[in-house]
Amino acid sequence: MIYESNIECIDSFSLKVLQAARFRRMVKLHTEHIPIYRQRIVEAYGSSCIESLSDVELLNGLSRIRPVYRDEYQFINTTLLRALDRKMFFIDSSSGSTGSPKSRFCSVEDDLHDTALCTRAFASFGIEHTDRVLTFDLADLTYYSQFTKAMQGLGVKNSFYYSARSDFESSMCDALAFNPTTLIIMPSILKRCYNSFVDYCKHAPHFRRLIYFGEPLEQDIRADLLENYSVHCFSMYGSTDVGWIAAECAAHAGMHLFSDSVILHLLSDSQTGSSMQEGAALFTSLFQTGKPNLRYSNGDRIRIDTKKCSCGRTTPRVSVACRDTDLFVLLGTKISIMEIQKVIFNVNMVSGYFQVELTEEENVTHFSVRLPRHLECEQNRIFDGLENKIGLAFYTCIGVVKITLDFVNSDFFTGKKIPRLVDRRSTSL
């Protein structure tokens, strides 16, 4: 369902007018008091008052603002805390799956705006008042309360939260006693209780959709759920530091950008098709008042498609190509976490959790991989793949890399997210 057609189906000219008006408001009320932002704006626009610029001049000038990276983004905290005073609603902070600290200061206005974006997203997923929605997470109720408030706009009365225990499979069995039609979950948690979940799907034809956020969900899992259990998967894209950014629609061809809430630029973008571009994401807030973003790089590499979607929405569609933590360097060789995942879970398997840990000891790099217990019978194949498909055989032969496989139960990982790479080396070069 299209919840706000005046925004979701807006024409390009009207969208630019709206974005320009909101950016002017952001600069006037929430950006000018931040020294780094004020300096970048002066560099881009010179002595011109942005109020005197046309919408086209204003938005074109925005693309000239030097990007703001994580260190600078963290540096503005003290300034913002003083300015917010009693207007702050809560602080959202996380190290996430990227292993780098993130934080956002949310005003009451920001929370209301995020809730409205969630309502729009849930409508695009097809959630109706008759649905029974279960959120399965670890301890923190922050998102559940926001999701529940968002569902009120769609008339949903049956919304449940279950806090998982370290025995994820039995926790999922207990949670599914609520008999949901929809599950909201993070992919790394889903992978630790996947068997219990699909057992429920086999005997619950009323179960319709799985909603995930915070991390990507592998295509093989999406395909398995759709083909074998008629369960549709929907993604919400957001981050602690930027807020909600985009949501998938029923066409399943990317996530529609919340273009009225954030402006997305791509840095060093490459053309991959007539309407497709890819590059490092830079986000500018149009509605985030507590800790606004100005051409902020969150570390994601994004693909953006500007073609009109078959669902009727006109806002661009985005997909996350990769994160800056998906690549690492080992003795001069670039290695992708996705390459390792393909070795571990071959084409006949559904992807599960895993973790690579790199340490150094006496000039030897220890390449340790933690894997689900059920893959223990596959250890020879996995070890051979890491040596020969990833290209570590030469290094193991000369003794500068040592590979170890550690098979663990799902309850070994107790955190909300499982960082797929933990690099404890003194240097990653």
Side-chain angles (χ1 to χ4, degrees):
M1 181 179 82
I2 296 177
Y3 188 70
E4 293 181 284
S5 58
N6 61 316
I7 296 295
E8 298 175 79
C9 302
I10 194 170
D11 63 89
S12 59
F13 175 80
S14 299
L15 176 59
K16 290 185 184 303
V17 171
L18 177 63
Q19 288 178 330
R22 290 193 170 179
F23 180 59
R24 285 190 178 93
R25 177 181 179 272
M26 285 297 300
V27 171
K28 182 178 180 180
L29 299 180
H30 307 291
T31 303
E32 278 190 331
H33 67 282
I34 304 172
I36 292 174
Y37 290 176
R38 186 169 61 245
Q39 178 186 357
R40 300 282 166 94
I41 289 171
V42 170
E43 288 176 357
Y45 296 102
S47 59
S48 301
C49 174
I50 65 170
E51 294 294 336
S52 65
L53 298 175
S54 68
D55 292 346
V56 172
E57 290 172 327
L58 181 66
L59 296 178
N60 287 345
L62 180 56
S63 64
R64 296 194 299 268
I65 293 177
R66 285 191 293 125
V68 173
Y69 294 98
R70 285 176 179 166
D71 288 347
E72 295 170 310
Y73 182 74
Q74 292 298 110
F75 184 73
I76 67 177
N77 285 357
T78 303
T79 300
L80 291 174
L81 284 172
R82 287 199 199 101
L84 280 167
D85 191 26
R86 299 175 185 274
K87 293 180 287 186
M88 188 165 64
F89 186 48
F90 67 91
I91 297 177
D92 193 5
S93 60
S94 170
S95 62
S97 57
T98 62
S100 58
K102 298 179 179 180
S103 64
R104 180 166 65 120
F105 307 152
C106 296
S107 65
V108 173
E109 187 179 14
D110 292 342
D111 183 64
L112 291 172
H113 180 64
D114 283 350
T115 301
L117 293 179
C118 280
T119 302
R120 191 189 301 173
F122 291 155
S124 73
F125 304 153
I127 290 180
E128 300 172 325
H129 71 279
T130 55
D131 277 302
R132 299 172 60 84
V133 183
L134 169 67
T135 300
F136 187 85
D137 208 340
L138 296 179
D140 192 350
L141 290 169
T142 302
Y143 285 115
Y144 170 69
S145 59
Q146 187 177 91
F147 291 161
T148 301
K149 289 185 291 184
M151 282 183 271
Q152 289 178 349
L154 301 175
V156 176
K157 301 297 183 185
N158 293 304
S159 174
F160 312 97
Y161 175 83
Y162 192 93
S163 179
R165 304 181 303 276
S166 59
D167 184 347
F168 292 94
E169 293 283 5
S170 63
S171 288
M172 176 59 78
C173 288
D174 292 344
L176 292 171
F178 288 110
N179 202 28
T181 62
T182 298
L183 174 66
I184 304 176
I185 194 169
M186 296 185 69
S188 59
I189 298 177
L190 174 68
K191 293 174 189 177
R192 286 175 270 178
C193 51
Y194 192 69
N195 292 331
S196 296
F197 173 62
V198 295
D199 283 345
Y200 174 75
C201 294
K202 291 175 186 176
H203 305 101
H206 59 278
F207 188 85
R208 294 182 247 177
R209 65 185 73 81
L210 181 142
I211 299 168
Y212 62 95
F213 66 100
E215 303 162 326
L217 182 65
E218 285 77 4
Q219 187 58 39
D220 57 356
I221 296 179
R222 291 178 58 118
D224 180 51
L225 292 175
L226 181 60
E227 293 168 10
N228 296 317
Y229 311 105
S230 299
V231 173
H232 287 265
C233 295
F234 294 91
S235 175
M236 290 178 68
Y237 174 41
S239 68
T240 298
D241 35 13
V242 181
W244 296 116
I245 298 168
E248 191 170 343
C249 69
H252 300 295
M255 297 171 285
H256 286 275
L257 184 69
F258 295 137
S259 300
D260 59 315
S261 179
V262 65
I263 293 178
L264 170 62
H265 289 112
L266 300 182
L267 185 64
S268 302
D269 51 314
S270 58
Q271 201 77 21
T272 58
S274 58
S275 64
M276 187 83 73
Q277 289 183 316
E278 181 179 314
L282 302 175
F283 295 102
T284 297
S285 304
L286 295 177
F287 221 103
Q288 191 167 301
T289 64
K291 190 175 183 183
N293 300 295
L294 182 66
R295 296 261 290 171
Y296 167 65
S297 174
N298 76 335
D300 288 348
R301 187 170 180 85
I302 299 290
R303 294 191 188 101
I304 184 167
D305 191 344
T306 55
K307 280 192 305 186
K308 185 176 179 179
C309 183
S310 61
C311 74
R313 294 173 177 84
T314 56
T315 49
R317 286 166 289 161
V318 299
S319 58
V320 181
C322 69
R323 288 181 165 173
D324 56 6
T325 51
D326 286 344
L327 291 170
F328 63 96
V329 178
L330 180 62
L331 300 173
T333 301
K334 285 187 177 180
I335 299 175
S336 165
I337 284 292
M338 289 304 298
E339 292 178 89
I340 297 172
Q341 178 169 304
K342 288 177 182 177
V343 165
I344 296 170
F345 305 102
N346 63 27
V347 294
N348 299 317
M349 295 182 185
V350 174
S351 300
Y353 58 87
F354 73 97
Q355 184 179 72
V356 175
E357 182 173 1
L358 302 174
T359 57
E360 285 180 335
E361 184 180 352
E362 297 180 351
N363 297 320
V364 175
T365 299
H366 292 266
F367 190 101
S368 303
V369 187
R370 297 185 179 95
L371 300 161
R373 179 75 63 190
H374 73 269
L375 290 181
E376 198 161 4
C377 61
E378 300 276 341
Q379 59 182 314
N380 291 335
R381 176 189 63 78
I382 295 170
F383 196 95
D384 180 71
L386 292 174
E387 283 202 318
N388 298 303
K389 293 184 180 179
I390 303 301
L392 299 180
F394 172 74
Y395 300 119
T396 57
C397 284
I398 64 174
V400 296
V401 172
K402 182 179 179 180
I403 301 173
T404 57
L405 305 181
D406 184 15
F407 297 92
V408 300
N409 297 324
S410 63
D411 58 4
F412 177 87
F413 298 104
T414 57
K416 188 168 186 173
K417 295 184 179 182
I418 304 173
R420 294 192 293 182
L421 174 65
V422 179
D423 194 343
R424 302 190 189 281
R425 297 173 295 171
S426 57
T427 174
S428 59
L429 298 179

